[in-house]
Amino acid sequence: MGAAGFFGLLLLGCGPLATVFLFSIAPASFLVLLTLGSAFFWLVTLFVISSLFRAWAPLTPEPGPYAGLLLVAVLIQEVARVGVWRFHRMSMRVLNRIAQEQHDAPLSVADRFSLALSYGFSHGAAHSVFFFLSWLPLSLDSGTIYNPRCPRLSYFTVGALSTLGMSAVLTGGMVLFFDALDRRRPRAALLAPATHAAAALLTLVNFTQGGCLVTVPLVLAGGAGVAAAAGRIWWRRTTSVPRLAAVRRPGSNDSARGAAGAGAAAGPVGDATRTGSVGASGAVNGTSSGTVVTPRTVSRDSAAALGQPPST
């Protein structure tokens, strides 16, 4: 295919992943170091998986043996994902303690999502290196390779598109996994392992005649869906603003509610006030960020007007 085919396949399979790195990870040196260390961990994990099945290589080219291999490989990676999560929780406690000692704001929601993205990116990048970039230089030859069961698409094209979809599944799945565990939703956290296993088992359709025409679009659609879900949750969690909603008492008129709102806004002396801080730690983004204080005040007069006991 030559140099043109090589770089075209490289951009097709790894271009979106490289874009995520350049715009979301590269600006923060801490995230770059975290990504490199995590990528090394995932490469070692994949090497361990390959060494386990070395004694049975080559496998019979049938769906059955490869299904068992894929399930065991996914299981080992998901166990490793739990280990990454535990390390993530420990590192967050360390970073928050450092921020407290330096009188800086603790890690914000956006910081936690950036850390999860770094772990997910490293998983997707290690997968791309292991299953795509390792044999991509073969495309520099003058010819190309076609699978007899998939004469419509070349072997390199199928590999690039499958890598693109799988890297999106792994990267977005890590964000969803971390967010669900942060909010103590173990059932929602199972979405990441489920999509990983489904995408892996879906590649077994390639054993059928013309199966690549089914597998490639479905893997791409799954990757796009997981990435969109992760982006949606990221947007909602980082842009939502808490609002103080007034509690209406049945039978109260507009003037009473207006007076209650005015009393709550005035905040007389002796009111109970809670403040919260939102900010990014300098250990993550390299800058010291200020503290945004969000007062949540409920005056005793307002509480009495609304028929509610005063909250402290």
Side-chain angles (χ1 to χ4, degrees):
M1 298 180 67
F6 172 82
F7 287 107
L9 293 170
L10 179 64
L11 292 176
L12 180 63
C14 303
L17 203 62
T19 302
V20 171
F21 177 81
L22 291 176
F23 287 96
S24 301
I25 298 177
S29 58
F30 177 80
L31 295 180
V32 174
L33 295 175
L34 182 65
T35 300
L36 292 176
S38 180
F40 176 77
F41 168 79
W42 285 112
L43 281 175
V44 171
T45 303
L46 294 175
F47 274 117
V48 170
I49 294 173
S50 64
S51 63
L52 292 177
F53 292 95
R54 180 62 180 172
W56 291 277
L59 296 177
T60 304
E62 296 178 356
Y66 278 91
L69 184 150
L70 290 175
L71 289 176
V72 173
V74 170
L75 177 61
I76 294 175
Q77 291 181 67
E78 294 307 321
V79 172
R81 191 199 299 267
V82 175
V84 171
W85 158 253
R86 295 177 66 88
F87 174 79
H88 168 71
R89 294 292 297 175
M90 181 183 66
S91 62
M92 283 185 58
R93 288 194 294 267
V94 173
L95 291 175
N96 283 328
R97 185 168 65 250
I98 294 175
Q100 184 178 7
E101 293 174 354
Q102 296 180 354
H103 304 287
D104 200 355
L107 292 176
S108 65
V109 176
D111 293 331
R112 294 197 294 269
F113 272 103
S114 297
L115 294 173
L117 179 64
S118 299
Y119 291 116
F121 171 85
S122 62
H123 192 185
H127 183 277
S128 300
V129 171
F130 204 85
F131 294 103
F132 177 60
L133 296 180
S134 59
W135 51 262
L136 184 60
L138 296 176
S139 63
L140 290 172
D141 200 358
S142 57
T144 186
I145 302 175
Y146 282 90
N147 191 323
R149 296 178 180 177
C150 184
R152 302 287 296 274
L153 296 174
S154 71
Y155 180 82
F156 300 106
T157 303
V158 173
L161 294 175
S162 299
T163 297
L164 174 61
M166 187 61 72
S167 62
V169 169
L170 297 176
T171 304
M174 191 72 74
V175 175
L176 295 176
F177 184 77
F178 279 29
D179 176 71
L181 292 183
D182 272 335
R183 294 191 288 173
R184 302 180 184 275
R185 296 182 178 180
R187 293 184 179 180
L190 294 177
L191 178 63
T195 53
H196 185 190
L201 293 176
L202 190 60
T203 59
L204 297 176
V205 183
N206 291 330
F207 283 103
T208 62
Q209 188 66 29
C212 64
L213 299 178
V214 177
T215 300
V216 170
L218 290 180
V219 171
L220 289 174
V226 172
R232 181 172 178 268
I233 290 179
W234 190 327
W235 177 263
R236 291 179 59 184
R237 294 288 306 278
T238 56
T239 59
S240 60
V241 179
R243 298 177 180 178
L244 180 62
V247 181
R248 295 186 178 183
R249 185 179 62 180
S252 61
N253 53 27
D254 294 337
S255 60
R257 288 195 298 269
V269 179
D271 293 345
T273 304
R274 293 182 299 167
T275 61
S277 62
V278 179
S281 172
V284 174
N285 55 24
T287 59
S288 73
S289 58
T291 301
V292 180
V293 179
T294 304
R296 299 178 182 177
T297 305
V298 179
S299 66
R300 300 180 184 272
D301 296 338
S302 301
L306 294 174
Q308 303 292 332
S311 174
T312 57

Short mmCIF file of all heavy atoms in Angstrom, two decimals, residues 7-68:
data_model
loop_
_atom_site.label_atom_id
_atom_site.label_comp_id
_atom_site.label_asym_id
_atom_site.label_seq_id
_atom_site.Cartn_x
_atom_site.Cartn_y
_atom_site.Cartn_z
N PHE A 7 0.09 5.94 6.41
CA PHE A 7 -0.31 7.10 7.21
C PHE A 7 -1.83 7.29 7.19
O PHE A 7 -2.41 7.78 8.18
CB PHE A 7 0.38 8.36 6.68
CG PHE A 7 1.84 8.41 7.02
CD1 PHE A 7 2.80 8.19 6.04
CD2 PHE A 7 2.27 8.65 8.31
CE1 PHE A 7 4.15 8.23 6.34
CE2 PHE A 7 3.61 8.69 8.63
CZ PHE A 7 4.56 8.48 7.64
N GLY A 8 -2.49 6.91 6.11
CA GLY A 8 -3.94 6.98 6.09
C GLY A 8 -4.57 6.04 7.11
O GLY A 8 -5.48 6.43 7.86
N LEU A 9 -4.08 4.81 7.18
CA LEU A 9 -4.58 3.86 8.17
C LEU A 9 -4.22 4.29 9.59
O LEU A 9 -5.01 4.11 10.52
CB LEU A 9 -4.00 2.47 7.89
CG LEU A 9 -4.47 1.80 6.60
CD1 LEU A 9 -3.64 0.55 6.31
CD2 LEU A 9 -5.94 1.44 6.68
N LEU A 10 -3.04 4.88 9.75
CA LEU A 10 -2.63 5.35 11.07
C LEU A 10 -3.57 6.44 11.57
O LEU A 10 -4.00 6.43 12.73
CB LEU A 10 -1.19 5.86 11.01
CG LEU A 10 -0.60 6.41 12.30
CD1 LEU A 10 -0.52 5.32 13.36
CD2 LEU A 10 0.79 7.01 12.05
N LEU A 11 -3.89 7.39 10.71
CA LEU A 11 -4.80 8.47 11.11
C LEU A 11 -6.21 7.95 11.31
O LEU A 11 -6.94 8.43 12.19
CB LEU A 11 -4.79 9.58 10.06
CG LEU A 11 -3.49 10.37 9.92
CD1 LEU A 11 -3.60 11.36 8.77
CD2 LEU A 11 -3.17 11.10 11.22
N LEU A 12 -6.61 6.97 10.53
CA LEU A 12 -7.95 6.42 10.67
C LEU A 12 -8.12 5.68 11.99
O LEU A 12 -9.14 5.84 12.68
CB LEU A 12 -8.24 5.47 9.49
CG LEU A 12 -9.62 4.79 9.49
CD1 LEU A 12 -10.73 5.83 9.39
CD2 LEU A 12 -9.71 3.80 8.33
N GLY A 13 -7.13 4.88 12.35
CA GLY A 13 -7.27 4.10 13.57
C GLY A 13 -6.91 4.84 14.84
O GLY A 13 -7.50 4.58 15.90
N CYS A 14 -5.95 5.76 14.78
CA CYS A 14 -5.44 6.42 15.98
C CYS A 14 -5.62 7.93 15.98
O CYS A 14 -5.26 8.58 16.97
CB CYS A 14 -3.96 6.09 16.18
SG CYS A 14 -3.60 4.32 16.28
N GLY A 15 -6.12 8.51 14.90
CA GLY A 15 -6.28 9.96 14.84
C GLY A 15 -7.19 10.52 15.91
O GLY A 15 -6.81 11.47 16.64
N PRO A 16 -8.42 10.00 16.10
CA PRO A 16 -9.29 10.54 17.16
C PRO A 16 -8.69 10.39 18.55
O PRO A 16 -8.83 11.29 19.38
CB PRO A 16 -10.57 9.71 17.01
CG PRO A 16 -10.58 9.28 15.58
CD PRO A 16 -9.14 9.05 15.23
N LEU A 17 -8.01 9.28 18.80
CA LEU A 17 -7.40 9.09 20.11
C LEU A 17 -6.27 10.10 20.33
O LEU A 17 -6.11 10.65 21.42
CB LEU A 17 -6.86 7.66 20.21
CG LEU A 17 -6.67 7.08 21.61
CD1 LEU A 17 -8.02 7.00 22.33
CD2 LEU A 17 -6.05 5.69 21.54
N ALA A 18 -5.50 10.38 19.27
CA ALA A 18 -4.43 11.38 19.38
C ALA A 18 -5.01 12.77 19.61
O ALA A 18 -4.43 13.59 20.34
CB ALA A 18 -3.56 11.36 18.12
N THR A 19 -6.18 13.06 19.03
CA THR A 19 -6.82 14.35 19.23
C THR A 19 -7.24 14.53 20.69
O THR A 19 -7.08 15.62 21.26
CB THR A 19 -8.04 14.48 18.31
OG1 THR A 19 -7.63 14.31 16.94
CG2 THR A 19 -8.70 15.83 18.47
N VAL A 20 -7.78 13.47 21.28
CA VAL A 20 -8.15 13.54 22.70
C VAL A 20 -6.92 13.83 23.55
O VAL A 20 -6.98 14.63 24.49
CB VAL A 20 -8.82 12.21 23.13
CG1 VAL A 20 -9.01 12.17 24.63
CG2 VAL A 20 -10.15 12.04 22.42
N PHE A 21 -5.82 13.21 23.23
CA PHE A 21 -4.60 13.44 24.00
C PHE A 21 -4.12 14.89 23.86
O PHE A 21 -3.76 15.53 24.85
CB PHE A 21 -3.51 12.48 23.53
CG PHE A 21 -2.19 12.68 24.23
CD1 PHE A 21 -1.96 12.15 25.48
CD2 PHE A 21 -1.18 13.41 23.62
CE1 PHE A 21 -0.74 12.34 26.13
CE2 PHE A 21 0.04 13.60 24.25
CZ PHE A 21 0.25 13.08 25.52
N LEU A 22 -4.11 15.41 22.65
CA LEU A 22 -3.57 16.75 22.42
C LEU A 22 -4.40 17.83 23.11
O LEU A 22 -3.85 18.80 23.65
CB LEU A 22 -3.49 17.03 20.92
CG LEU A 22 -2.44 16.23 20.14
CD1 LEU A 22 -2.54 16.53 18.66
CD2 LEU A 22 -1.03 16.54 20.65
N PHE A 23 -5.71 17.68 23.11
CA PHE A 23 -6.57 18.75 23.61
C PHE A 23 -7.00 18.56 25.06
O PHE A 23 -7.36 19.54 25.71
CB PHE A 23 -7.82 18.88 22.74
CG PHE A 23 -7.56 19.48 21.39
CD1 PHE A 23 -7.35 18.68 20.28
CD2 PHE A 23 -7.49 20.86 21.23
CE1 PHE A 23 -7.10 19.23 19.03
CE2 PHE A 23 -7.23 21.42 19.99
CZ PHE A 23 -7.03 20.60 18.88
N SER A 24 -6.97 17.35 25.59
CA SER A 24 -7.48 17.11 26.93
C SER A 24 -6.43 16.67 27.93
O SER A 24 -6.62 16.84 29.13
CB SER A 24 -8.60 16.05 26.89
OG SER A 24 -9.67 16.47 26.06
N ILE A 25 -5.32 16.08 27.47
CA ILE A 25 -4.33 15.53 28.38
C ILE A 25 -3.01 16.27 28.30
O ILE A 25 -2.39 16.59 29.32
CB ILE A 25 -4.13 14.02 28.10
CG1 ILE A 25 -5.44 13.27 28.34
CG2 ILE A 25 -3.02 13.45 28.96
CD1 ILE A 25 -5.37 11.80 28.02
N ALA A 26 -2.55 16.56 27.09
CA ALA A 26 -1.24 17.18 26.90
C ALA A 26 -1.08 18.52 27.60
O ALA A 26 0.03 18.83 28.07
CB ALA A 26 -0.95 17.33 25.40
N PRO A 27 -2.11 19.38 27.72
CA PRO A 27 -1.90 20.66 28.41
C PRO A 27 -1.51 20.54 29.88
O PRO A 27 -0.99 21.49 30.45
CB PRO A 27 -3.26 21.37 28.26
CG PRO A 27 -3.86 20.77 27.03
CD PRO A 27 -3.44 19.34 27.06
N ALA A 28 -1.76 19.41 30.52
CA ALA A 28 -1.42 19.23 31.94
C ALA A 28 -0.32 18.19 32.06
O ALA A 28 -0.51 17.03 31.69
CB ALA A 28 -2.66 18.80 32.73
N SER A 29 0.83 18.61 32.57
CA SER A 29 1.97 17.70 32.66
C SER A 29 1.69 16.53 33.60
O SER A 29 2.15 15.41 33.35
CB SER A 29 3.20 18.47 33.15
OG SER A 29 2.96 19.09 34.41
N PHE A 30 0.93 16.76 34.66
CA PHE A 30 0.61 15.68 35.58
C PHE A 30 -0.21 14.60 34.88
O PHE A 30 0.02 13.40 35.09
CB PHE A 30 -0.15 16.23 36.79
CG PHE A 30 -0.59 15.16 37.75
CD1 PHE A 30 0.30 14.62 38.66
CD2 PHE A 30 -1.89 14.69 37.74
CE1 PHE A 30 -0.10 13.63 39.55
CE2 PHE A 30 -2.30 13.70 38.62
CZ PHE A 30 -1.41 13.17 39.53
N LEU A 31 -1.16 15.00 34.05
CA LEU A 31 -1.97 14.03 33.32
C LEU A 31 -1.14 13.25 32.32
O LEU A 31 -1.38 12.07 32.08
CB LEU A 31 -3.14 14.73 32.62
CG LEU A 31 -4.18 15.40 33.52
CD1 LEU A 31 -5.26 16.06 32.68
CD2 LEU A 31 -4.78 14.40 34.48
N VAL A 32 -0.14 13.90 31.72
CA VAL A 32 0.74 13.21 30.78
C VAL A 32 1.53 12.12 31.49
O VAL A 32 1.62 10.98 31.02
CB VAL A 32 1.68 14.21 30.09
CG1 VAL A 32 2.71 13.48 29.23
CG2 VAL A 32 0.89 15.19 29.23
N LEU A 33 2.09 12.45 32.65
CA LEU A 33 2.84 11.45 33.42
C LEU A 33 1.94 10.32 33.88
O LEU A 33 2.32 9.14 33.83
CB LEU A 33 3.51 12.11 34.61
CG LEU A 33 4.60 13.15 34.30
CD1 LEU A 33 5.10 13.80 35.59
CD2 LEU A 33 5.76 12.50 33.56
N LEU A 34 0.74 10.67 34.30
CA LEU A 34 -0.21 9.64 34.73
C LEU A 34 -0.59 8.73 33.57
O LEU A 34 -0.71 7.51 33.73
CB LEU A 34 -1.46 10.31 35.32
CG LEU A 34 -2.54 9.38 35.86
CD1 LEU A 34 -2.02 8.60 37.06
CD2 LEU A 34 -3.79 10.17 36.23
N THR A 35 -0.77 9.31 32.39
CA THR A 35 -1.12 8.52 31.21
C THR A 35 0.00 7.57 30.82
O THR A 35 -0.25 6.40 30.48
CB THR A 35 -1.45 9.46 30.03
OG1 THR A 35 -2.55 10.30 30.40
CG2 THR A 35 -1.83 8.67 28.79
N LEU A 36 1.24 8.04 30.86
CA LEU A 36 2.37 7.19 30.50
C LEU A 36 2.50 6.01 31.47
O LEU A 36 2.72 4.86 31.06
CB LEU A 36 3.65 8.01 30.48
CG LEU A 36 3.76 9.06 29.37
CD1 LEU A 36 5.03 9.87 29.52
CD2 LEU A 36 3.70 8.42 27.99
N GLY A 37 2.39 6.30 32.77
CA GLY A 37 2.47 5.22 33.74
C GLY A 37 1.34 4.22 33.61
O GLY A 37 1.55 3.00 33.70
N SER A 38 0.12 4.72 33.38
CA SER A 38 -1.01 3.82 33.21
C SER A 38 -0.91 3.01 31.93
O SER A 38 -1.27 1.82 31.90
CB SER A 38 -2.31 4.63 33.21
OG SER A 38 -3.43 3.80 33.06
N ALA A 39 -0.40 3.62 30.85
CA ALA A 39 -0.22 2.88 29.60
C ALA A 39 0.77 1.73 29.77
O ALA A 39 0.57 0.63 29.22
CB ALA A 39 0.24 3.83 28.50
N PHE A 40 1.83 1.99 30.52
CA PHE A 40 2.78 0.90 30.80
C PHE A 40 2.11 -0.23 31.56
O PHE A 40 2.34 -1.42 31.27
CB PHE A 40 3.97 1.45 31.59
CG PHE A 40 4.96 0.40 32.00
CD1 PHE A 40 5.87 -0.12 31.09
CD2 PHE A 40 4.99 -0.06 33.31
CE1 PHE A 40 6.78 -1.10 31.48
CE2 PHE A 40 5.90 -1.04 33.70
CZ PHE A 40 6.79 -1.56 32.78
N PHE A 41 1.26 0.11 32.52
CA PHE A 41 0.54 -0.91 33.28
C PHE A 41 -0.34 -1.75 32.36
O PHE A 41 -0.38 -2.99 32.47
CB PHE A 41 -0.29 -0.25 34.38
CG PHE A 41 -1.28 -1.16 35.04
CD1 PHE A 41 -0.86 -2.05 36.01
CD2 PHE A 41 -2.62 -1.13 34.68
CE1 PHE A 41 -1.77 -2.91 36.62
CE2 PHE A 41 -3.53 -1.98 35.29
CZ PHE A 41 -3.11 -2.87 36.27
N TRP A 42 -1.04 -1.10 31.43
CA TRP A 42 -1.94 -1.85 30.54
C TRP A 42 -1.15 -2.68 29.53
O TRP A 42 -1.59 -3.78 29.16
CB TRP A 42 -2.88 -0.89 29.82
CG TRP A 42 -3.97 -0.36 30.70
CD1 TRP A 42 -4.13 0.92 31.14
CD2 TRP A 42 -5.04 -1.12 31.28
NE1 TRP A 42 -5.23 1.00 31.94
CE2 TRP A 42 -5.81 -0.23 32.04
CE3 TRP A 42 -5.41 -2.46 31.22
CZ2 TRP A 42 -6.94 -0.65 32.74
CZ3 TRP A 42 -6.53 -2.88 31.92
CH2 TRP A 42 -7.28 -1.97 32.66
N LEU A 43 -0.01 -2.20 29.10
CA LEU A 43 0.82 -3.01 28.21
C LEU A 43 1.31 -4.27 28.93
O LEU A 43 1.31 -5.37 28.35
CB LEU A 43 2.01 -2.19 27.70
CG LEU A 43 1.73 -1.21 26.56
CD1 LEU A 43 2.98 -0.40 26.25
CD2 LEU A 43 1.25 -1.95 25.31
N VAL A 44 1.72 -4.12 30.19
CA VAL A 44 2.14 -5.29 30.95
C VAL A 44 0.97 -6.27 31.12
O VAL A 44 1.14 -7.49 31.01
CB VAL A 44 2.69 -4.86 32.32
CG1 VAL A 44 2.94 -6.07 33.22
CG2 VAL A 44 3.98 -4.07 32.14
N THR A 45 -0.21 -5.74 31.36
CA THR A 45 -1.40 -6.60 31.49
C THR A 45 -1.66 -7.38 30.21
O THR A 45 -1.95 -8.59 30.25
CB THR A 45 -2.63 -5.75 31.85
OG1 THR A 45 -2.37 -5.02 33.05
CG2 THR A 45 -3.85 -6.62 32.04
N LEU A 46 -1.56 -6.72 29.07
CA LEU A 46 -1.77 -7.42 27.79
C LEU A 46 -0.69 -8.45 27.51
O LEU A 46 -0.95 -9.51 26.95
CB LEU A 46 -1.86 -6.39 26.65
CG LEU A 46 -3.06 -5.45 26.70
CD1 LEU A 46 -2.96 -4.41 25.59
CD2 LEU A 46 -4.37 -6.23 26.58
N PHE A 47 0.54 -8.14 27.91
CA PHE A 47 1.62 -9.12 27.75
C PHE A 47 1.37 -10.36 28.63
O PHE A 47 1.64 -11.49 28.22
CB PHE A 47 2.97 -8.50 28.10
CG PHE A 47 3.62 -7.78 26.95
CD1 PHE A 47 3.84 -6.41 27.01
CD2 PHE A 47 4.00 -8.46 25.81
CE1 PHE A 47 4.44 -5.74 25.96
CE2 PHE A 47 4.59 -7.80 24.75
CZ PHE A 47 4.81 -6.43 24.82
N VAL A 48 0.86 -10.14 29.83
CA VAL A 48 0.54 -11.27 30.70
C VAL A 48 -0.55 -12.13 30.08
O VAL A 48 -0.49 -13.37 30.09
CB VAL A 48 0.11 -10.75 32.09
CG1 VAL A 48 -0.46 -11.88 32.94
CG2 VAL A 48 1.29 -10.11 32.80
N ILE A 49 -1.56 -11.49 29.49
CA ILE A 49 -2.64 -12.25 28.85
C ILE A 49 -2.10 -13.06 27.68
O ILE A 49 -2.44 -14.25 27.51
CB ILE A 49 -3.75 -11.28 28.38
CG1 ILE A 49 -4.42 -10.63 29.58
CG2 ILE A 49 -4.79 -12.02 27.53
CD1 ILE A 49 -5.40 -9.54 29.21
N SER A 50 -1.26 -12.46 26.88
CA SER A 50 -0.71 -13.19 25.73
C SER A 50 0.18 -14.34 26.16
O SER A 50 0.19 -15.41 25.52
CB SER A 50 0.08 -12.23 24.84
OG SER A 50 1.19 -11.70 25.53
N SER A 51 0.92 -14.16 27.25
CA SER A 51 1.79 -15.24 27.71
C SER A 51 0.99 -16.42 28.25
O SER A 51 1.42 -17.57 28.15
CB SER A 51 2.74 -14.72 28.79
OG SER A 51 2.03 -14.28 29.93
N LEU A 52 -0.21 -16.13 28.81
CA LEU A 52 -1.03 -17.22 29.33
C LEU A 52 -1.51 -18.15 28.22
O LEU A 52 -1.67 -19.36 28.43
CB LEU A 52 -2.24 -16.66 30.09
CG LEU A 52 -1.93 -15.93 31.40
CD1 LEU A 52 -3.21 -15.36 32.00
CD2 LEU A 52 -1.26 -16.86 32.40
N PHE A 53 -1.77 -17.58 27.05
CA PHE A 53 -2.30 -18.38 25.94
C PHE A 53 -1.22 -18.81 24.96
O PHE A 53 -1.53 -19.38 23.91
CB PHE A 53 -3.38 -17.59 25.20
CG PHE A 53 -4.62 -17.39 26.01
CD1 PHE A 53 -4.81 -16.23 26.75
CD2 PHE A 53 -5.60 -18.37 26.05
CE1 PHE A 53 -5.95 -16.04 27.50
CE2 PHE A 53 -6.75 -18.19 26.81
CZ PHE A 53 -6.93 -17.02 27.53
N ARG A 54 0.01 -18.55 25.30
CA ARG A 54 1.10 -18.94 24.41
C ARG A 54 1.18 -20.45 24.26
O ARG A 54 1.52 -20.97 23.18
CB ARG A 54 2.43 -18.39 24.95
CG ARG A 54 3.64 -18.73 24.10
CD ARG A 54 3.53 -18.14 22.73
NE ARG A 54 4.68 -18.45 21.90
CZ ARG A 54 4.77 -18.16 20.61
NH1 ARG A 54 3.77 -17.55 19.99
NH2 ARG A 54 5.86 -18.48 19.94
N ALA A 55 0.87 -21.19 25.31
CA ALA A 55 0.97 -22.65 25.26
C ALA A 55 -0.06 -23.25 24.31
O ALA A 55 0.14 -24.36 23.81
CB ALA A 55 0.79 -23.22 26.66
N TRP A 56 -1.17 -22.55 24.04
CA TRP A 56 -2.22 -23.09 23.17
C TRP A 56 -2.16 -22.50 21.76
O TRP A 56 -3.02 -22.82 20.93
CB TRP A 56 -3.59 -22.80 23.77
CG TRP A 56 -3.85 -23.58 25.02
CD1 TRP A 56 -4.31 -24.86 25.11
CD2 TRP A 56 -3.65 -23.14 26.36
NE1 TRP A 56 -4.42 -25.24 26.41
CE2 TRP A 56 -4.02 -24.21 27.22
CE3 TRP A 56 -3.19 -21.96 26.94
CZ2 TRP A 56 -3.95 -24.12 28.60
CZ3 TRP A 56 -3.12 -21.87 28.31
CH2 TRP A 56 -3.50 -22.94 29.13
N ALA A 57 -1.20 -21.69 21.46
CA ALA A 57 -1.10 -21.09 20.13
C ALA A 57 -0.47 -22.08 19.14
O ALA A 57 0.43 -22.85 19.52
CB ALA A 57 -0.28 -19.81 20.19
N PRO A 58 -0.92 -22.10 17.89
CA PRO A 58 -2.06 -21.32 17.38
C PRO A 58 -3.38 -22.02 17.67
O PRO A 58 -3.45 -23.25 17.69
CB PRO A 58 -1.78 -21.27 15.88
CG PRO A 58 -1.06 -22.55 15.60
CD PRO A 58 -0.23 -22.85 16.82
N LEU A 59 -4.41 -21.24 17.89
CA LEU A 59 -5.73 -21.78 18.16
C LEU A 59 -6.40 -22.22 16.87
O LEU A 59 -6.09 -21.73 15.78
CB LEU A 59 -6.60 -20.74 18.87
CG LEU A 59 -6.15 -20.28 20.26
CD1 LEU A 59 -7.08 -19.21 20.77
CD2 LEU A 59 -6.11 -21.45 21.22
N THR A 60 -7.34 -23.12 17.01
CA THR A 60 -8.13 -23.55 15.85
C THR A 60 -8.96 -22.37 15.36
O THR A 60 -9.63 -21.71 16.15
CB THR A 60 -9.05 -24.71 16.24
OG1 THR A 60 -8.26 -25.77 16.80
CG2 THR A 60 -9.81 -25.22 15.02
N PRO A 61 -8.93 -22.07 14.06
CA PRO A 61 -9.67 -20.91 13.55
C PRO A 61 -11.18 -21.13 13.56
O PRO A 61 -11.84 -21.20 12.52
CB PRO A 61 -9.13 -20.76 12.12
CG PRO A 61 -8.69 -22.12 11.74
CD PRO A 61 -8.18 -22.76 13.00
N GLU A 62 -11.74 -21.24 14.76
CA GLU A 62 -13.17 -21.41 14.94
C GLU A 62 -13.64 -20.49 16.06
O GLU A 62 -12.85 -20.10 16.92
CB GLU A 62 -13.50 -22.87 15.30
CG GLU A 62 -13.15 -23.86 14.19
CD GLU A 62 -13.44 -25.28 14.60
OE1 GLU A 62 -13.84 -25.48 15.78
OE2 GLU A 62 -13.26 -26.19 13.77
N PRO A 63 -14.92 -20.13 16.07
CA PRO A 63 -15.40 -19.19 17.09
C PRO A 63 -15.26 -19.71 18.51
O PRO A 63 -15.02 -18.92 19.44
CB PRO A 63 -16.87 -18.97 16.71
CG PRO A 63 -16.95 -19.32 15.27
CD PRO A 63 -15.94 -20.41 15.04
N GLY A 64 -15.43 -21.01 18.74
CA GLY A 64 -15.40 -21.56 20.09
C GLY A 64 -14.13 -21.28 20.86
O GLY A 64 -14.16 -20.66 21.94
N PRO A 65 -12.95 -21.71 20.37
CA PRO A 65 -11.72 -21.44 21.12
C PRO A 65 -11.44 -19.96 21.32
O PRO A 65 -10.98 -19.53 22.40
CB PRO A 65 -10.64 -22.11 20.26
CG PRO A 65 -11.36 -23.14 19.47
CD PRO A 65 -12.71 -22.58 19.21
N TYR A 66 -11.73 -19.16 20.29
CA TYR A 66 -11.47 -17.73 20.42
C TYR A 66 -12.45 -17.06 21.38
O TYR A 66 -12.10 -16.05 22.01
CB TYR A 66 -11.53 -17.06 19.05
CG TYR A 66 -10.25 -17.21 18.26
CD1 TYR A 66 -10.07 -18.29 17.39
CD2 TYR A 66 -9.22 -16.29 18.39
CE1 TYR A 66 -8.89 -18.43 16.67
CE2 TYR A 66 -8.04 -16.43 17.68
CZ TYR A 66 -7.88 -17.50 16.81
OH TYR A 66 -6.71 -17.64 16.12
N ALA A 67 -13.64 -17.60 21.51
CA ALA A 67 -14.60 -17.03 22.47
C ALA A 67 -14.08 -17.20 23.89
O ALA A 67 -14.15 -16.28 24.72
CB ALA A 67 -15.96 -17.69 22.31
N GLY A 68 -13.54 -18.38 24.19
CA GLY A 68 -12.96 -18.58 25.52
C GLY A 68 -11.78 -17.67 25.77
O GLY A 68 -11.63 -17.12 26.87
#
